[in-house]
Amino acid sequence: MFTTDLQRFRVAGLPLSLLLAAFIITGCQDESPAEPPTPETSPADEEVEAATMPWPRIERESDPEVERFVEDVLSRMTLERKVGQIIQAEIQHVSPEEVRDYALGSVLNGGGSFPGGDQRAAMSDWTELSRRLHEAALEAGGGDPSVPLLWGTDAVHGHNNVFGATVFPHNIGLGAAGDAELVREINRATAEQVSATAIDWNFSPTLAVARDLRWGRSYESYSSDPSIVTELSRAAVLGLQGEPGEGWLESPHVLATAKHFVGDGGTVEGEDQGDTRLSEQELFDIHGRPYVATIEAGVQTIMASFSSWNGEKLHGHRYLLTEVLKEQMGFDGIVVGDWNGHGQVPGCTVTDCLQAFEAGIDLFMVPEDWKAFRDTMLEHARNGDLSMDRLDDAVRRILRVKKRAGLFDQPVPSGSDQLPNEDAHAELARRAVRQSLVLLKNTGDVLPLDPGSRILVVGDGADDIGKQSGGWTLTWQGLTEANEYFPNGQSIFDGIAEQVRAAGGEIHLGESGAEEFAPDVVIAIYGENPYSEGEGDVDTLEFQPGTREAIELLDQAGQWGAPVVSVFLSGRPLWTNPEMNRSDAFVAAWLPGTAGGGVADVLLADADGDVQYDFSGRLSFDWPATPKPDEDGEWPTLFPLGSGLSYGEDGSIDPLPEDALAPLLEDEIPEQGDWTLFDRSARTPWRLVIMGHNNAADPAVELTDREVQGDARRLTWSAGVPGFAALTARPPVDLRGFVDDNAVLAYDLRPETPIPEDLSARLICGQQCASEALDLAGELADRPLNEWQSLRIDLTCFDSENMDLSHVSGIELLRTEGPVTISVSAVRIERGATDRADLSCSS
């Protein structure tokens, strides 16, 4: 079905087509000069241009029967129905009746979205909502023609949105396992789970080649090695969709998505949704190769990346989306946008982005604002701004995929009232955990442990299934201390305890009573708390910078006179020299998911003292020797990619340097006087975050000057586009002492336009934890424009019922839907200043 020319060519410069695309985009702007005529390109010229690309030429053999069917359906569709096909709405923001009335072609459920908003929704709730949505789609336009619906979901490590489903290790663990057949089996099992909920489409696998582990999505990457990512991504697609040929895409298979095209793992400093700055040859060699393999494996959808390539957003990149992906590489499936990703294209909003459509996005993920987006697309079409040929191309691709997936033959998937093959999936997950574990230290052959001994287990990851599963687990950001949400899961402690008790040993959980328990060995299980996407971005690879809870735990464990085994839970390799020095054995367990018993299978010997399962996992990323890169931007390596011990090998390592430890946060907070949080840049532990609602490009940000160059930020909100400017803290900080010291939150502002009525500020203390929004408009509305002025807010104004001032993780300085332009600088907390507060709440 596929033929590929894998010969690569050196790129001498940018292709002519890329330069022409820039002229075309410029020419679309109002009052711009007419586009100059361009010479006609001969077939021979096109061949020469294609030969300068590093991307291979892939020829796809189309199925004439499918193409005739698609053309027949397309010819009978109205403009309104065609536009409906290119829109994907989120299930919390669309009803079955709206799917029918607006002829929508697709829906999705985002991370942490469930039927009826019920986190414990039963299988029957999923299948019933699916039935209603799919049936409604068939009634659109009176059913002539009947076009089935596509429902997409992020089942990125099992069907992780569904209560009770098996959650597999995240991709970083599967990369360490390095077993393509295992990856294929896991994705086949995931397809069975997804299909059982009557969902057609999985937004997986992630093909990112993560190159800077400060990126918050590193755990979604199999490896920093493109060859590993290529092999495992191909296996994932085959597991989800089946092998091209007989049985391909038939139930229980589902549609797969290769994401995020392209270069999402290569952004500067690992910034989520940032800029990947590489030559085109490097872009292909590092980040493009996995897409060749997945296209050859028959992947039917490819998702565009939030990120940019050399400053140009991928959602608006016609050269890469159309000329490379669709034309050169022959991809004839759906190019789907990410969550409002089109809204980040310059000149676009979430509800209006013709540029992304012209660039090659076929299906727009517009979760909430889909009605307004539909209106603007119809207006563009009726005004002649939207190319009917381009619209037909996008709809043709969507119909083609729906036909290939069998949706026209079975337009209402039946699903099941229970999860399929639960025992088999749980055992598969347990096997994956065993294969993913990487042993990095084993002094004196401490491991494997005798299950008949006295074993003490400590650490906040010991008995927490949510923590061991990571982000994208029941909620977008994951959850902790919620084992009741995993009725079919097993914590790592429970897995160990089960085997210890069966062997006649004794086990104890927690530090309380540890000395009296007199353990033979201590297992400390700790690591990163769950996160996803930009929430996981960090400035340093030091584990727990500014706090040392794990170090203190291990110091305490060392006083109990027994060997200490560390089981480290993380979504990436981190600088853990101090923790390794305090451990006799150190195991990288990644984010293993719900099968915690797989850890026990490898740590513990059997009743006869023999190894049950050896360590077979090997690092698929380098393990850092320092928490930050050197002055050349390179990361010194402690353990290179491919490292990992097996039983019987020398597992001792020399003491590691600890001088790179960050100062304790408590030492960074002044005991007296003011505390500067932002001055030119954010100060430790704060980080400046500027974000639009639902990934909108607003507020726009640029450097500006107050006293010295670049010491302020100028922010511009468009009308009706919510967004905020905030400082976030990792770890969270305790502000109660400042309240006791009559402190205020102070920052300097320069409004350039009238203040909108909804301008507000608030403090954040975690998920579903925040102060009430504090109105700023009343105070600022009458102040002069274009002048720098200070705003002081009594900290007690943030002390509301749902706010924990001892755990402040964020300060939203400005939040609004605009329109407004305002600059901000010099954020600080001033002690003893409540008498000068502009907004006062002290009694």
Side-chain angles (χ1 to χ4, degrees):
M1 187 172 292
F2 299 91
T3 58
T4 309
D5 174 10
L6 292 178
Q7 184 179 5
R8 294 185 290 110
F9 299 89
R10 184 177 180 274
V11 180
L14 289 176
L16 173 64
S17 55
L18 180 56
L19 300 177
L20 291 178
F23 283 119
I24 292 169
I25 292 172
T26 303
C28 290
Q29 297 174 356
D30 293 339
E31 300 183 29
S32 61
E35 181 183 341
T38 57
E40 293 185 3
T41 303
S42 69
D45 292 335
E46 292 178 355
E47 290 181 9
V48 170
E49 184 178 321
T52 67
M53 293 182 178
W55 313 86
R57 184 77 177 178
I58 303 176
E59 301 290 347
R60 171 100 193 215
E61 294 181 8
S62 62
D63 183 332
E65 182 180 343
V66 169
E67 297 307 309
R68 283 193 297 270
F69 179 89
V70 167
E71 293 303 323
D72 175 66
V73 174
L74 183 63
S75 68
R76 293 184 284 130
M77 295 179 71
T78 63
L79 171 64
E80 290 76 12
R81 296 199 63 187
K82 290 177 181 179
V83 169
Q85 284 297 303
I86 69 170
I87 295 173
Q88 185 175 62
E90 213 281 334
I91 62 170
Q92 303 303 322
H93 303 281
V94 67
S95 67
E97 292 74 23
E98 289 171 322
V99 167
R100 178 196 63 213
D101 295 344
Y102 293 91
L104 297 186
S106 184
V107 299
L108 80 149
N109 65 288
S113 178
F114 322 93
D118 181 4
Q119 201 168 35
R120 296 175 181 248
M123 289 289 290
S124 57
D125 297 323
W126 289 92
T127 56
E128 173 61 15
L129 179 58
S130 175
R131 180 191 64 78
R132 293 176 60 211
L133 289 167
H134 281 84
E135 288 181 348
L138 299 177
E139 298 170 1
D144 184 21
S146 290
V147 180
L149 184 79
L150 269 178
W151 180 344
T153 190
D154 284 286
V156 297
H157 60 145
H159 206 359
N160 41 260
N161 275 294
V162 175
F163 183 77
T166 298
V167 177
F168 295 96
H170 268 297
N171 284 355
I172 191 168
L174 300 183
D179 184 339
E181 184 55 35
L182 174 68
V183 171
R184 184 167 178 166
E185 290 182 50
I186 287 172
N187 280 274
R188 165 69 187 223
T190 300
E192 292 174 358
Q193 295 178 348
V194 171
S195 179
T197 52
I199 294 176
D200 324 283
W201 181 11
N202 188 11
F203 299 140
S204 176
T206 298
L207 276 57
V209 181
R211 306 291 276 191
D212 190 320
L213 292 166
R214 290 175 289 187
W215 187 35
R217 304 190 77 157
S218 292
Y219 63 79
E220 296 184 52
S221 173
Y222 293 113
S223 177
S224 61
D225 183 339
S227 64
I228 294 175
V229 175
T230 297
E231 180 184 13
L232 300 187
S233 298
R234 179 181 183 278
V237 168
L238 293 175
L240 289 167
Q241 295 190 164
E243 191 92 36
E246 187 176 352
W248 182 54
L249 290 174
E250 291 182 1
S251 182
H253 293 112
V254 296
L255 291 165
T257 305
K259 65 181 189 183
H260 308 84
F261 189 80
V262 59
D264 52 343
T267 59
V268 175
E269 297 183 350
E271 179 187 5
D272 189 47
Q273 305 183 20
D275 190 21
T276 296
R277 300 170 192 167
L278 298 171
S279 70
E280 187 175 3
Q281 185 70 57
E282 292 170 318
L283 182 70
F284 171 73
D285 286 341
I286 298 171
H287 304 284
R289 290 187 179 278
Y291 289 92
V292 177
T294 53
I295 290 172
E296 291 179 319
V299 72
Q300 290 297 287
T301 74
I302 293 178
M303 185 179 291
S305 178
F306 280 123
S307 59
S308 304
W309 177 44
N310 294 332
E312 186 173 349
K313 280 289 182 182
L314 263 298
H315 276 70
H317 210 301
R318 187 183 188 281
Y319 171 69
L320 287 176
L321 295 181
T322 296
E323 296 185 39
V324 167
L325 181 58
K326 293 181 175 181
E327 295 174 359
Q328 176 72 1
M329 295 174 67
F331 178 66
D332 66 355
I334 302 169
V335 175
V336 60
D338 208 337
W339 188 287
N340 281 332
H342 57 280
Q344 297 183 3
V345 175
C348 287
T349 67
V350 167
T351 59
D352 188 2
C353 193
L354 198 56
Q355 297 98 307
F357 191 57
E358 293 171 339
I361 300 295
D362 301 310
L363 179 57
F364 288 80
M365 194 183 292
V366 200
E368 298 179 16
D369 301 305
W370 57 269
K371 286 183 182 177
F373 180 87
R374 176 182 180 271
D375 290 342
T376 59
M377 291 300 282
L378 286 171
E379 183 179 356
H380 286 311
R382 290 162 181 157
N383 290 341
D385 296 328
L386 188 155
S387 163
M388 290 298 101
D389 287 343
R390 173 70 190 102
L391 179 60
D392 283 351
D393 171 61
V395 177
R396 185 180 290 113
R397 289 170 174 272
I398 294 167
L399 297 176
R400 180 184 294 129
V401 170
K402 290 180 177 182
K403 177 61 175 174
R404 287 174 178 165
L407 292 176
F408 280 96
D409 302 314
Q410 187 178 351
V412 183
S414 56
S416 174
D417 60 358
Q418 62 183 16
L419 285 161
N421 304 319
E422 291 184 74
D423 292 343
H425 291 174
E427 181 50 44
L428 176 61
R430 188 164 180 153
R431 172 158 64 92
V433 173
R434 292 195 295 260
Q435 291 184 225
S436 70
L437 303 177
V438 180
L439 180 62
L440 295 175
K441 181 179 181 181
N442 192 21
T443 305
D445 292 330
V446 170
L447 296 175
L449 303 176
D450 176 6
S453 60
R454 299 172 64 82
I455 298 178
L456 172 66
V457 182
V458 297
D460 63 357
D463 194 27
D464 193 328
I465 301 173
K467 184 180 177 89
Q468 73 192 37
S469 296
W472 286 109
T473 306
L474 285 183
T475 72
W476 177 42
Q477 294 294 325
L479 68 172
T480 59
E481 300 179 2
N483 284 358
E484 66 273 15
Y485 282 93
F486 302 94
N488 301 321
Q490 187 178 49
S491 71
I492 297 175
F493 168 76
D494 282 340
I496 295 170
E498 184 177 65
Q499 296 190 32
V500 169
R501 289 165 183 154
E506 296 183 50
I507 191 164
H508 181 81
L509 176 64
E511 299 98 295
S512 178
E515 189 170 354
E516 294 80 2
F517 180 69
D520 296 317
V521 67
V522 179
I523 303 176
I525 306 172
Y526 55 92
E528 292 186 293
N529 283 325
Y531 54 81
S532 69
E533 302 193 29
E535 295 295 318
D537 283 7
V538 293
D539 297 323
T540 172
L541 291 184
E542 178 182 348
F543 174 55
Q544 295 183 332
T547 66
R548 300 175 186 173
E549 290 97 337
I551 294 174
E552 294 170 359
L553 173 68
L554 295 171
D555 282 338
Q556 184 180 15
Q559 298 175 8
W560 293 323
V564 177
V565 175
S566 279
V567 176
F568 186 57
L569 303 171
S570 72
R572 52 194 151 199
L574 291 169
W575 186 73
T576 51
N577 284 13
E579 290 80 10
M580 286 190 181
N581 285 339
R582 290 160 175 79
S583 305
D584 296 279
F586 190 95
V587 177
W590 315 114
L591 301 170
T594 52
V599 176
D601 291 342
V602 184
L603 293 187
L604 301 177
D606 63 18
D608 297 325
D610 296 326
V611 172
Q612 295 188 85
Y613 296 93
D614 202 348
F615 283 94
S616 59
R618 299 294 181 262
L619 294 180
S620 59
F621 295 87
D622 291 340
W623 195 281
T626 59
K628 293 191 175 182
D630 60 26
E631 57 187 20
D632 296 322
E634 300 296 324
W635 290 90
T637 298
L638 179 61
F639 301 112
L641 184 149
S643 297
L645 299 166
S646 296
Y647 284 134
E649 297 181 329
D650 181 11
S652 59
I653 59 176
D654 294 332
L656 301 170
E658 300 183 8
D659 54 344
L661 270 171
L664 287 168
L665 176 59
E666 59 196 49
D667 296 334
E668 294 289 303
I669 302 175
E671 294 183 3
Q672 298 179 343
D674 300 344
W675 184 21
T676 299
L677 313 185
F678 178 91
D679 183 19
R680 300 190 72 179
S681 61
R683 304 291 180 85
T684 303
W686 300 96
R687 180 168 169 259
L688 181 63
V689 175
I690 297 167
M691 185 175 295
H693 178 65
N694 274 335
N695 287 310
D698 282 17
V701 59
E702 57 186 316
L703 292 176
T704 189
D705 309 335
R706 184 190 178 195
E707 296 180 350
V708 297
Q709 185 177 22
D711 66 345
R713 300 294 183 270
R714 183 174 183 264
L715 307 166
T716 300
W717 281 262
S718 301
V721 183
F724 63 83
L727 292 171
T728 61
R730 182 174 294 170
V733 299
D734 187 348
L735 295 185
R736 292 175 298 178
F738 286 96
V739 173
D740 295 340
D741 290 342
N742 300 316
V744 299
L745 171 66
Y747 42 110
D748 296 343
L749 301 170
R750 182 182 63 191
E752 298 180 25
T753 59
I755 298 297
E757 294 181 355
D758 68 339
L759 188 68
S760 65
R762 65 173 182 165
L763 300 187
I764 307 295
C765 48
Q767 294 187 48
Q768 309 301 318
C769 181
S771 70
E772 295 179 2
L774 191 65
D775 173 45
L776 301 184
E779 170 60 31
L780 298 177
D782 295 329
R783 292 199 183 187
L785 299 180
N786 299 307
E787 293 182 11
W788 282 103
Q789 50 209 281
S790 295
L791 173 67
R792 292 181 173 85
I793 305 171
D794 184 345
L795 282 179
T796 62
C797 294
F798 298 108
D799 190 9
S800 57
E801 182 179 356
N802 197 38
M803 182 64 212
D804 181 2
L805 288 171
S806 72
H807 193 82
V808 176
S809 57
I811 303 173
E812 287 189 0
L813 303 167
L814 301 168
R815 173 181 280 272
T816 180
E817 291 189 18
V820 68
T821 296
I822 189 167
S823 297
V824 61
S825 181
V827 184
R828 68 267 182 201
I829 295 179
E830 299 177 351
R831 285 186 167 96
T834 52
D835 59 335
R836 293 182 287 133
D838 300 298
L839 297 173
S840 180
C841 300
S842 299
S843 57

